[in-house]
Amino acid sequence: MTGWARRDSMAYGSYLPHIAIPKGRLIYMRRIYIKEEVCIGCHLCEVYCQLQHSQSRDLIKAFKRESPRPLSRLRMEEKRPVSFSVRCQHCDESPCVYACLTGALSRDPDSGVVNVDEERCIGCWTCILVCPFGAIRQESLQRKMVKCDLCQGEDMPVCVTNCPNEALVYAETDI
Amino acid sequence: MAKIEKVEYLIIGNSAGSIGAAEAIRETDKAGAITIISDEPYPAYSRPLISEYLAERCSLERMLFRSPDFYKVNNIQAVLGKTVERLDTEAHTIELDKGGRIIWEKLLLATGGLPVVPQIEGVARRGVFTFTTLDDAKAIDRFLRGVAGAVVIGGGLIGVSITEALVKRGIKVTVVEMQERILNTILDEEASVLEEEALRQAGASIVTGHTVAKISCDSTKDAVSSVTLDDGNSIPCNLVILAIGVRPRTELTSGTGIKINRGIVVDRYMATSSPDVYACGDAAEAYDFIYGENRLNPVWPNAYIGGRIAGFNMAGVPTEYSGGTAVNSLRYFGLDVVSAGMVTPLDDGYEVLSEKYDHTYKKVVLKDGFVVGMVFASDIEKSGIVFNLMKDRVKVDGFKQALVADNFGLVSLPEKIWRPQLEMPPSVSASSIISTEQPEGILMGE
Ligand SMILES: Cc1cc2nc3c(=O)[nH]c(=O)nc-3n(C[C@H](O)[C@H](O)[C@H](O)COP(=O)(O)OP(=O)(O)OC[C@H]3O[C@@H](n4cnc5c(N)ncnc54)[C@H](O)[C@@H]3O)c2cc1C
């Protein structure tokens, strides 16, 4: 298994990490990365994500009939010519997990996936306020948060497999 | 004679801060003995959910913050339903109310807050409650039969939270707030107005700018019958909720020399002034990264994270607290409002940018080009991006107007901010890329 890394070797962007964490603690990351230079903003990632997270798994039903309407767990961002999709980054020190009022959010130490127990989510949106990516979405009808689950049960997240331009990369990393 | 125990880690309190610490300790020290003591007789539960309990009588199981086997799995001894009476920092011991002494190496005071009980005539009457524990919620629930009207004294977070629960239970509620507007410490004026509209629309009444001078009682039944305001007006009610605030629970520190200001003062490692004693959560006054000084910020996320930092330090892994600030997410009466930091500028040395349309409201407070406060209503999904710009002290001069714009997103920020966060860092080796492509030449299946 790859992907174990020591935090002190982490060189990161200007605004992570959010929470001080001890040096030397082992971390494990599984992430979807963007390749902005080849993203053409076709929104197929969004379409497949919404389909994947629908009840029916049927394109027409998922987009036109299902209630509650399935939500794409990723968001397209565009400012032409720049475009990319944003989703949960399954942060190691996950602000959402630490902020969660009910314990609905947790991070699996083995897989590195941040999971949500929908039964226990009360839609307080505290996670939304602390997410640096704005990656959490509101399922308003049921008052639950939803977010990228890396398509649990699939070999690969569907946004990655269906990106026509290979503008998304799925990696188990050792940063 | 009671047995004397000896543990590496002793945690007083069994809530957000306590669990944050215990989990951090177990991440680094699998074996050291941890004991958690709480005078509440339940496994750690989500305190904010007591309003849900009152509104819908949801089960304790649903309110638990961790799975029921949490203590067992993590090899933690939980002593529940017992109060720590005395703390001796010199001897490194505590004493329990029903006898029993524990010797500790590292101690965490995650003792939370106590509701402030105002000196009003009649506060001791039957029908007057505070609302900060599950037992409070249970007692109010038992009392509700036959209650038609309630007065909630205090229009802060707890007051609004119980108002929603009582309204859901069909009770006519009047909120009495001393200041000119409800939620005045965590929201700015515009957002307070939105909340007031939402409360009123749901059928609650709000009286601002007044206090309750007296709680009166039915002469025959010794139960609450009305409250009288400072202007002489009275409001009939059979239930009074005291929700004027919580104050840090610091009684254990008396006589120990542990430094107290408004709460237990801790440094950037969550350590108190006494060696081997740490504090976090509602009990503590910890670093606030907006004000650049220690403050009380009694909210759940700060308690958990502060506890986590304390836990690492207790376990011998030096870890600095980057600081907290006020963070609030309100979801009452169908209105979503989030706020953080300094929501109302202290003086005119600040710049305020805001947008308002329909029910959406967005505001950021800036100082010297940095975000120092924010309030978002309705359209909140991307508020976390702004919060983190604030937390990480990113200069926003160049794109500040975008922060409150309708189409705001990561792409509104300079490329040097979003690119390194979303792209694969060069340090990730190509071998870690996962792909489904089958190696050529291998054919399987039908
Ligand atoms: C109704 C309500 C709604 C809320 N809503 C929100 C919300 O929406 N968002 C949010 O962020 N926050 C909310 N809060 C605040 C949040 O619950 C607190 O910030 C949080 O619980 C603080 O955690 P803590 O670990 O510091 O202490 P606490 O949760 O207060 O726990 C401390 C524990 O220690 C025990 N204890 C203290 N002294 C002793 C002793 N000597 N011996 C034994 N046991 C002792 C106490 O009995 C208590 O069980 C709400 C609070 C209330 C009451």
Side-chain angles (χ1 to χ4, degrees):
Chain A
M1 199 197 274
T2 58
W4 288 97
R6 288 191 175 272
R7 170 60 92 155
D8 50 4
S9 67
M10 208 165 144
Y12 226 68
S14 60
Y15 72 76
L16 287 175
H18 309 273
I19 296 152
I21 53 145
K23 285 198 158 67
R25 199 166 66 80
L26 291 170
I27 61 157
Y28 181 69
M29 294 272 220
R30 201 181 275 206
R31 271 195 177 180
I32 297 169
Y33 294 101
I34 64 161
K35 273 181 164 169
E36 182 276 320
E37 65 284 5
V38 289
C39 174
I40 55 165
C42 70
H43 289 244
L44 271 181
C45 50
E46 209 171 18
V47 170
Y48 279 97
C49 183
Q50 184 168 339
L51 179 64
Q52 177 72 14
H53 295 95
S54 66
Q55 295 291 324
S56 61
R57 301 273 175 102
D58 174 292
L59 209 49
I60 304 295
K61 285 186 190 142
F63 279 76
K64 286 183 164 299
R65 280 181 238 145
E66 261 182 45
S67 174
R69 192 165 197 269
L71 277 182
S72 162
R73 276 96 201 278
L74 58 81
R75 180 182 73 246
M76 278 305 293
E77 293 225 6
E78 287 162 294
K79 195 164 140 196
R80 290 287 160 204
V82 175
S83 64
F84 52 81
S85 53
V86 181
R87 72 217 12 92
C88 171
Q89 296 292 289
H90 301 270
C91 307
D92 170 42
E93 286 290 312
S94 327
C96 60
V97 173
Y98 303 149
C100 181
L101 301 187
T102 66
L105 282 164
S106 61
R107 187 170 188 271
D108 185 325
D110 299 323
S111 68
V113 177
V114 173
N115 290 309
V116 54
D117 177 348
E118 284 186 15
E119 289 286 293
R120 295 168 69 204
C121 174
I122 57 160
C124 74
W125 318 135
T126 311
C127 50
I128 287 184
L129 175 55
V130 299
C131 175
F133 302 96
I136 293 166
R137 308 210 52 201
Q138 296 170 285
E139 210 302 45
S140 302
L141 221 60
Q142 301 181 74
R143 288 198 70 81
K144 306 271 177 209
M145 65 86 92
V146 294
K147 63 169 201 69
C148 167
D149 56 357
L150 292 173
C151 292
Q152 296 302 294
E154 304 289 331
D155 290 340
M156 292 268 282
V158 297
C159 57
V160 181
T161 23
N162 291 289
C163 177
N165 248 12
E166 295 185 11
L168 293 169
V169 181
Y170 185 45
E172 286 183 339
T173 61
D174 41 14
I175 27 181
Chain B
M1 201 190 89
K3 195 170 124 241
I4 299 175
E5 278 183 67
K6 203 168 173 238
V7 295
E8 268 96 335
Y9 309 101
L10 181 68
I11 303 175
I12 307 177
N14 178 34
S15 186
S18 168
I19 302 301
E23 290 183 336
I25 293 169
R26 277 290 173 261
E27 276 181 34
T28 34
D29 180 353
K30 300 273 179 239
I34 303 178
T35 293
I36 290 179
I37 306 174
S38 176
D39 53 9
E40 288 193 77
Y42 312 105
Y45 63 90
S46 172
R47 194 167 305 288
L49 280 186
I50 63 174
S51 48
E52 242 79 359
Y53 177 88
L54 188 58
E56 313 158 4
R57 300 193 185 88
C58 66
S59 65
L60 173 63
E61 166 127 63
R62 239 192 75 87
M63 297 175 70
L64 291 187
F65 184 50
R66 290 294 183 255
S67 71
D69 62 0
F70 171 82
Y71 302 94
K72 195 160 168 254
V73 169
N74 287 289
N75 189 19
I76 294 167
Q77 186 193 20
V79 180
L80 305 178
K82 289 196 178 168
T83 308
V84 177
E85 297 263 86
R86 230 175 323 280
L87 164 62
D88 185 336
T89 49
E90 298 272 299
H92 278 52
T93 59
I94 59 100
E95 277 170 47
L96 290 167
D97 55 346
K98 291 167 192 114
R101 250 174 95 208
I102 299 176
I103 305 173
W104 44 267
E105 281 175 25
K106 304 280 176 187
L107 174 71
L108 176 64
L109 299 170
T111 50
L114 282 176
V116 178
V117 176
Q119 299 298 314
I120 302 173
E121 187 185 332
V123 280
R125 300 235 186 260
R126 232 167 65 78
V128 182
F129 296 88
T130 54
F131 187 60
T132 59
T133 66
L134 178 54
D135 282 344
D136 290 339
K138 286 184 171 176
I140 296 166
D141 178 56
R142 282 192 298 270
F143 188 81
L144 274 192
R145 182 192 282 267
V147 168
V151 166
V152 173
I153 305 179
L157 182 71
I158 294 176
V160 170
S161 156
I162 191 167
T163 297
E164 187 188 53
L166 292 173
V167 166
K168 282 188 182 161
R169 294 285 295 267
I171 290 162
K172 173 95 190 81
V173 183
T174 304
V175 179
V176 180
E177 166 59 50
M178 176 171 73
Q179 303 291 327
E180 288 309 316
R181 57 187 176 90
I182 62 166
L183 297 163
N184 54 71
T185 58
I186 59 178
L187 298 183
D188 68 342
E189 212 173 312
E190 284 79 355
S192 284
V193 169
L194 291 175
E195 288 286 351
E196 286 179 4
E197 280 168 7
L199 254 81
R200 291 206 168 98
Q201 212 156 44
S205 307
I206 303 167
V207 177
T208 57
H210 288 285
T211 56
V212 169
K214 183 178 162 194
I215 300 169
S216 305
C217 141
D218 201 308
S219 52
T220 49
K221 282 184 285 179
D222 184 42
V224 170
S225 61
S226 70
V227 301
T228 308
L229 302 184
D230 53 0
D231 61 359
N233 280 326
S234 79
I235 305 168
C237 61
N238 342 94
L239 172 67
V240 173
I241 307 293
L242 307 174
I244 60 170
V246 291
R247 62 180 167 77
R249 188 164 168 187
T250 60
E251 77 260 15
L252 277 177
T253 61
S254 70
T256 61
I258 293 175
K259 192 175 163 207
I260 306 285
N261 186 29
R262 290 175 69 199
I264 304 170
V265 178
V266 292
D267 65 13
R268 296 293 287 273
Y269 297 85
M270 306 307 286
T272 70
S273 61
S274 184
D276 303 323
V277 182
Y278 296 75
C280 67
D282 287 10
E285 202 181 294
Y287 185 69
D288 182 306
F289 63 83
I290 292 296
Y291 291 87
E293 60 187 31
N294 282 23
R295 279 173 80 94
L296 299 177
N297 281 316
V299 287
W300 189 273
N302 289 340
Y304 184 91
I305 295 168
R308 182 169 175 80
I309 302 295
F312 284 131
N313 287 303
M314 291 164 75
V317 184
T319 306
E320 195 179 298
Y321 182 47
S322 57
T325 193
V327 281
N328 284 284
S329 175
L330 289 81
R331 58 189 180 285
Y332 303 107
F333 303 101
L335 175 68
D336 300 330
V337 180
V338 295
S339 72
M342 188 189 297
V343 291
T344 307
L346 288 177
D347 52 53
D348 29 331
Y350 295 82
E351 184 183 357
V352 173
L353 299 174
S354 67
E355 275 295 334
K356 201 168 177 201
Y357 44 91
D358 308 326
H359 283 282
T360 300
Y361 173 59
K362 296 179 179 182
K363 162 175 154 178
V364 292
V365 180
L366 307 174
K367 171 98 179 162
D368 305 328
F370 295 101
V371 183
V372 295
M374 58 185 282
V375 185
F376 280 60
S378 290
D379 180 7
I380 62 165
E381 271 186 357
K382 286 170 277 184
S383 59
I385 300 173
V386 179
F387 176 75
N388 282 278
L389 291 171
M390 172 166 107
K391 181 155 177 38
D392 299 322
R393 283 193 70 74
V394 175
K395 222 170 169 69
V396 299
D397 299 71
F399 53 95
K400 59 190 180 189
Q401 211 59 51
L403 303 178
V404 294
D406 189 23
N407 60 354
F408 171 72
L410 285 172
V411 77
S412 320
L413 312 180
E415 190 179 330
K416 68 174 195 300
I417 296 178
W418 58 258
R419 197 177 285 282
Q421 286 192 71
L422 299 174
E423 288 196 336
M424 197 161 82
S427 57
V428 177
S429 66
S431 65
S432 54
I433 294 172
I434 308 166
S435 96
T436 47
E437 266 157 47
Q438 297 289 329
E440 268 173 60
I442 300 177
L443 276 175
M444 281 170 48
E446 297 119 281

